[in-house]
Amino acid sequence: MKTKPILGIAETTRILDAARAEAEQNGWPVTIVVTDDGGHPLGLLRLDDCAPVGAYIATEKARTAALGRRESKQYEEMINNGRTAFLSAPLAGTLEGGVPVVVDGVVIGAVGVSGVKADQDAQVAKAGASALQ
């Protein structure tokens, strides 16, 4: 039987804290979501002044990264490069800002961020995802 690492409350909190620190250091009002490897939310943090829609978008970005086992940006790039069939994929977060959390080569969850420019969302998500390394 195979075994794999999973995200518990301690790891989820560490990811949220690292992402929050990155966002606050830059003055970015974002929502940060951590999901398990199935895209199910484990933690959500909406910073002051982030629009309420950020909670929905960040969750979907994280879900996309977890289920696809890759950054959500890759789906956005495929669509922008003409692979419009991905518009019908059952993924709602095909925008930059979702990053998988990888431990020992295994995707154990993801971080999704929404609220600022796409590359800034991704920067915050990557700061969170790297908190376990």
Side-chain angles (χ1 to χ4, degrees):
M1 180 178 290
K2 293 183 179 184
T3 60
K4 67 177 183 176
I6 62 166
L7 289 173
I9 189 67
E11 295 81 17
T12 299
T13 301
R14 193 168 353 150
I15 291 167
L16 288 171
D17 289 346
R20 178 182 182 175
E22 182 69 22
E24 289 180 341
Q25 177 182 334
N26 289 287
W28 295 335
V30 297
T31 296
I32 305 155
V33 175
V34 178
T35 67
D36 64 14
D37 61 340
H40 307 286
L42 298 173
L44 182 150
L45 180 62
R46 192 175 84 183
L47 301 183
D48 293 344
D49 299 322
C50 182
V53 73
Y56 174 81
I57 295 170
T59 300
E60 292 305 320
K61 288 179 179 182
R63 182 174 287 125
T64 295
L67 293 174
R69 309 292 196 249
R70 65 184 74 179
E71 288 191 37
S72 57
K73 175 183 180 177
Q74 292 180 0
Y75 292 103
E76 181 179 14
E77 289 173 343
M78 284 188 270
I79 292 165
N80 288 341
N81 289 327
R83 292 201 60 198
T84 56
F86 271 102
L87 291 171
S88 63
L91 302 171
T94 54
L95 301 169
E96 185 173 5
V99 176
V101 176
V102 181
V103 172
D104 297 331
V106 177
V107 174
I108 63 168
V111 184
V113 177
S114 180
V116 288
K117 294 178 182 178
D119 63 320
Q120 296 167 336
D121 287 345
Q123 180 178 327
V124 173
K126 289 175 185 176
S130 67
L132 301 184
Q133 297 176 0

